[in-house]
Amino acid sequence: MLNKPALPNKIDYIINGETDKLSPAQVLWYDLLRAVDSFYFCLNNRLELTQRLQRGYNHTTLSRYINEIAAAAEETACVSERPLRHDEFTQIALKALPAIEKIVINPRTRLVKESCKQHVSRVREVSHKTVEWLAQRPQEKIEDKIKPNNTVLTRKTVFSPDTVENRALRYFYGRLYKYISMLVEKSECADCGKRDGCSRVSELQGFLWIKNAMRKTGLNDVREQVAAVPNNALLCDKYYSVVRRETENMKKVEERIERKWNKLPELLLRMELLIKSADTVGDAVLAGKEVKIFERVVTYQDGVGIVCGGKPVESVKILVKDGRKTVIKTIKIKNDRVGAEEEADV
């Protein structure tokens, strides 16, 4: 059994990539957690299990899941010593990406009045600030007070993106931006010659590039703030509601890190179960044998792995037929190990 290090005092040390405040054992332990998340991320994407706008995963068959492991491993094969791996945070970012792109193109705004100096011909409002400004000028006549540019301090009505929903968007995006940019910087993918054709890199770069688009709409100047009470836009707007839901999911992932931190040995065993099952199927097929997996309907559950009927899958039965000889191989987790057992000829 692995020796579990203590959980970091603050989750922000992980989110912000402050590894100098973590011990080497804590860094390695969290890297293992991310490796498990990356394994399932690739499989769920290939099988199209991830729901884009709703939280959750679709169902599939156990055989289809196991058969896709080899294809996913080949697709994500990388010679880099520090590859860019997806995890639950990157999944949330990519789920919210289509909605964020739509918001940045046309963000919601509100009417506000701001103080400014305008030409006297364009003044539509004389407020107390206008009177105070004129009173502070030493000249006696108004025409002398506004010279030489004929401008007056007044207020004008403008559309401002500084709204509750945009502050919530900036909080959500800003928090994930720090984490994802840290992942890209610490990987070797940023300087890789194949990065333009690598989906792992291009998807996350698309999320990071939104920061440049925000500058053109003024969203970049909106302060980050959690919406303690969601307003109508965060509840009903089809794009802003995605931001609200994924913000809640992001908080749940942060809370789930503690539970996953303690359950990492179990998560690794369940991942090893699937990989060994895929190896067994692959070896039998290469040997020209007929293979059949005892079927079950499964889905993915965050922080648990593959589940059937709400319970983790901890055994896989495989029927292997070689001519007249038929054997059932059971690969299962037992006593903190993954082993294979063969039953008598069927």
Side-chain angles (χ1 to χ4, degrees), residues 101-337:
E101 289 175 334
K102 294 290 186 181
I103 292 173
V104 171
I105 292 173
N106 186 26
R108 292 174 69 95
T109 56
R110 64 188 179 98
L111 288 172
V112 297
K113 291 186 176 183
E114 63 177 24
S115 297
C116 64
K117 287 186 178 181
Q118 286 188 319
H119 192 272
V120 67
S121 62
R122 302 181 61 184
V123 173
R124 296 292 182 269
E125 177 183 342
V126 177
S127 65
H128 69 280
K129 290 187 177 181
T130 305
V131 176
E132 290 175 359
W133 181 82
L134 289 171
Q136 292 172 359
R137 310 286 286 180
Q139 295 83 0
E140 293 184 2
K141 297 182 179 180
I142 292 181
E143 54 265 31
D144 294 330
K145 292 176 180 287
I146 63 176
K147 288 181 179 180
N149 298 323
N150 289 333
T151 57
V152 177
L153 181 66
T154 184
R155 294 194 303 175
K156 66 176 180 179
T157 304
V158 296
F159 289 96
S160 171
D162 188 13
T163 62
V164 172
E165 57 270 22
N166 286 332
R167 292 175 189 173
L169 167 67
R170 289 285 294 118
Y171 169 81
F172 171 74
Y173 180 79
R175 195 161 177 81
L176 285 178
Y177 180 88
K178 292 178 183 177
Y179 182 75
I180 293 175
S181 59
M182 177 269 295
L183 294 185
V184 175
E185 290 173 3
K186 291 191 175 182
S187 72
E188 294 180 347
C189 297
D191 300 323
C192 179
K194 299 180 181 179
R195 66 180 183 274
D196 294 334
C198 180
S199 60
R200 289 185 297 173
V201 180
S202 59
E203 288 175 337
L204 291 184
Q205 282 183 333
F207 183 85
L208 297 178
W209 286 338
I210 289 180
K211 191 174 183 69
N212 295 328
M214 283 186 173
R215 293 192 179 100
K216 300 177 181 178
T217 60
L219 283 172
N220 212 51
D221 298 326
V222 176
R223 71 177 186 271
E224 301 178 6
Q225 186 179 45
V226 180
V229 180
N231 63 2
N232 186 63
L234 289 170
L235 291 172
C236 303
D237 186 276
K238 63 180 180 179
Y239 299 128
Y240 282 99
S241 61
V242 174
V243 173
R244 176 185 58 81
R245 288 197 303 270
E246 294 306 324
T247 300
E248 294 173 355
N249 291 330
M250 181 174 64
K251 292 178 181 178
K252 291 178 182 178
V253 171
E254 295 174 5
E255 295 169 358
R256 204 157 50 235
I257 285 178
E258 181 175 357
R259 297 196 296 272
K260 289 171 60 180
W261 190 276
N262 298 324
K263 292 184 178 180
L264 178 58
E266 299 172 26
L267 298 176
L268 289 171
L269 283 173
R270 290 171 194 153
M271 186 174 74
E272 184 183 357
L273 171 70
L274 295 176
I275 294 174
K276 283 192 174 182
S277 300
D279 284 340
T280 301
V281 171
D283 292 343
V285 171
L286 289 175
K289 300 176 183 179
E290 185 180 341
V291 183
K292 183 178 180 181
I293 298 173
F294 283 70
E295 203 63 278
R296 279 183 279 178
V297 176
V298 298
T299 187
Y300 176 73
Q301 184 175 327
D302 288 325
V304 178
I306 299 303
V307 297
C308 177
K311 296 181 179 180
V313 173
E314 298 192 346
S315 66
V316 178
K317 283 191 175 183
I318 303 171
L319 187 146
V320 181
K321 187 175 182 180
D322 186 7
R324 295 182 178 180
K325 183 180 180 181
T326 303
V327 176
I328 296 178
K329 294 186 176 182
T330 303
I331 303 171
K332 62 182 180 179
I333 300 172
K334 187 177 182 181
N335 299 327
D336 298 330
R337 292 186 180 277

